Amino acid sequence: MPSRSYRYWLASATMLSTAALMGAQDALAQIAVEEITVTTRRRAESLQNIPMSITAFTAVQIERGGIRNVEDVARLTPGLTFDLGFAPQDTRPSIRGLPATRGRPPVGILLDGIDVSSESIQTAGGGNLMNMRLVDVERIEVVKGPQSALYGRVAFGGAINYITKKPSDEFSANLFLDGGDHGQIEVRGGVSGPLDDGGKVGVRLNAAYAEHDGYHRNTVTGEQIGGFDSLGFSGVIDAELSENFQATARIAYSDDSSRVRAEVVKGGINFTPAPTNSLGLTGAFLPTFGPLTIDAGDVIQLSTDPFTNEDFFGTESESLITSLKLEWDVSDTVSVMSLTGYNDADARQNFDSDRRGAAIAPVFLPPPGGISEPLPRTTIIDFTTNTKQFSQELRISDLESEGLRWAIGGLYWKENTDQVTFSSATVDFAGVGSANLNTALQGRAGLNEGLLFRDTEHWSVYGHVEYDISEQLSLTAEARYSNENFTYDVVGSINNAFGVFFFGPVPYSLPIELPVVSASDNYFTPRVSLDYQVTDDVLLYASVAKGAKPGGFSTLSIGNSLDNNRFRPETLWSYEAGAKTQFADGRVQLNGALFFMDYTDKQVTTQDASGGQGIALGTVTKNAGAAEIKGLEAELNIAVSENLNINAAYTYLDTEYTNFVFSTQSGNDITRGGNCTPITQNSANGTPVDLCEVSLNGHQLERQPKHGFTVGANANFAVTDTMDVIAEVAAQYQGTRFLTHWNRWTLPSYVNVDVRLGVESDDWSIIAYADNVFKDTKVRSGQENFDLFTFGTALNLFAPDDRQLGIRLSYSM
């Protein structure tokens, strides 16, 4: 029998072939692939004429494809992966093989050119702003490779820029409805148009509401989990204040709630090394396991909130995002632009972090007893985070002249992040009581709040020059010099309750009074490219670029001195050569790129003898590791006929750690690493400590598939003078990848196929859709964590989405 993946691709190919035959009769018509205009280089240009690797989504593609967040963008963009992490704020996009394991993600996130990228506190990932639901977006541009000069502070491996819609020249209104199974509901509507007779002031208002019940149930409570609801508003006013002066102001507000994620835990993975050296530790090899699957016997058993005996609520967030863009045309070619942004986001996250639960029942210990989960352990994540961002960019440029084009500018960016945490861990060492009941009896009043503050201040200056050496050959040089200052302050406590429960709950708080720490990083990120327009249809280019991801202090290891958790910026040199070509009078586009990246100073978490506060050994985040990434990208677009278009894209990645050696005393690290070279180091108090030096040289980078592929087709056929039939199919394949840098756990390959069929006119459309039509249930994301229940390793696997069926209706006037 052929494999399921083979059958999926066979079915997809059959649909594509059928669509191609339907359009073959018009194949000789004078048609061309649709031209897409982007603003990747801060001016309007045809996508095909830009010497960079870019994937762009138009407003039509966004609406028909239901693209609403970064995860949807990644699903349709080869070379861009998206992983779920420890918490909703722990979001991990990755471009071209650069992992997002620690520190800030290597992908810059921008909204209308304003950097909204952040970094979580107490977890890895990019913060809750990265999860914002996209509303009223005109275009999405994914730029691959280091883009620090153009996109600022964190475009280390690339950037995703969302461009919102502007007011229309004439009055218009639109309504969008989406309904489907699993409780899928979305309603959006807006109005747009001029406010004055001369059309110099325009306004656009938009509102949206969406909800989803989720695809899975928590077997402990029987309730659905993984769903969400979202309410948002946005307004834009665009004013021509004079003949050469334009102002655009935008404000958006959203109120979002996401229920706890559906996860399956595979725990109790303990591999105790045999004593073979002076440490009593060994380099015994841990078997490689994979691909990881959620099997029929695996169930979702998440703990209930001990204070309510119901499911934890998950994540609630509110965000206010504002911007002001001022443009002054000094002359026919020279312009001055000011871009100001202010964002204010609040989020509370509350969930069971050990992902182990049991049905509530009468329990008698600790006294006086009650109704609770009869489990000996419970760990609760409960923190509230406020993030405020302010940015101001000023640029003067001449990007329209012949021969020489230039731009200079500066950026000031500031973020203040405050977090209050009541997270706790409770352990019943007697094994006969309920840890949840202990926590409930202790009560929230018995928990001491932990306070974490982080202030980040960034300024940078940049320059961009394009010089036409000849009519066909152009040289571009750009660079940014950046300075980033950051201050961390940790006060408060970590809450724990330990006890045998014969004498009632025993609360215990680990006091955290760490000194305020500050540091500063400076880095210079140049980029040089050469492009040659061989003919009107063939463009060749080559580039060399440096990327840098800011450093900081890790707050993942509370209890250790922050001074000892200092890490430097990660750095990257990228070398790329590519081509953009057109054939058959513009009916065929074939673009491709080869790239090589030299990646150093990877941020990792390990145990080290340099620990703080008098302890001999501490868990620290440090820079350790170098890697090489080789890759290939190819993209094909074919206008088969006036009514049929086919597209395909492929990415190949070859990743390898070339210098990844670190010291540790962790038996798990040594076993998973599979080797040990004994060494001795002095701790912070001068005590000699025996350690292992573990080498991961030759390992593949974590979470990076070797192969990624997308293929799609869309067909339009007129059935009347005013109505067309629409048929679309989009399929994605992602290859196997290692879950962690240990290369022990493998995430499986998967295939996702989405189809859409409907009718549309100039004013309205009705489209039926099926996402994940073949119900591929492969695990797409997971995490390796410490298992409090067995004091070993646990694998948290996120249950994949089910098939989603629905209908989208739209009307505009």
Side-chain angles (χ1 to χ4, degrees), residues 35 50 68 83 237 269-270 281 369 383 467 499 557 618 669 694 714 726 750 775 783-784 805:
E35 181 179 20
I50 300 178
R68 295 290 177 264
D83 278 285
I237 185 167
I269 305 170
N270 287 293
L281 301 169
F383 47 72
Y467 177 64
S557 304
D669 285 358
V694 176
N714 60 82
I726 303 168
Y750 71 85
K775 301 186 70 168
Q783 276 212 319
E784 178 191 81
L805 305 177

Side-chain angles (χ1 to χ4, degrees), residues 294-345:
I294 294 178
D295 303 312
D298 297 323
V299 293
I300 300 168
Q301 294 178 303
L302 304 181
S303 281
T304 54
D305 187 335
F307 303 109
T308 65
N309 280 334
E310 297 177 352
D311 282 316
F312 288 92
F313 64 76
T315 299
E316 295 176 346
S317 61
E318 291 183 80
S319 61
L320 178 70
I321 299 176
T322 65
S323 65
L324 175 64
K325 183 178 182 180
L326 304 176
E327 297 175 282
W328 177 34
D329 292 330
V330 180
S331 68
D332 290 341
T333 59
V334 178
S335 65
V336 176
M337 185 208 71
S338 169
L339 192 58
T340 307
Y342 175 78
N343 307 320
D344 191 342

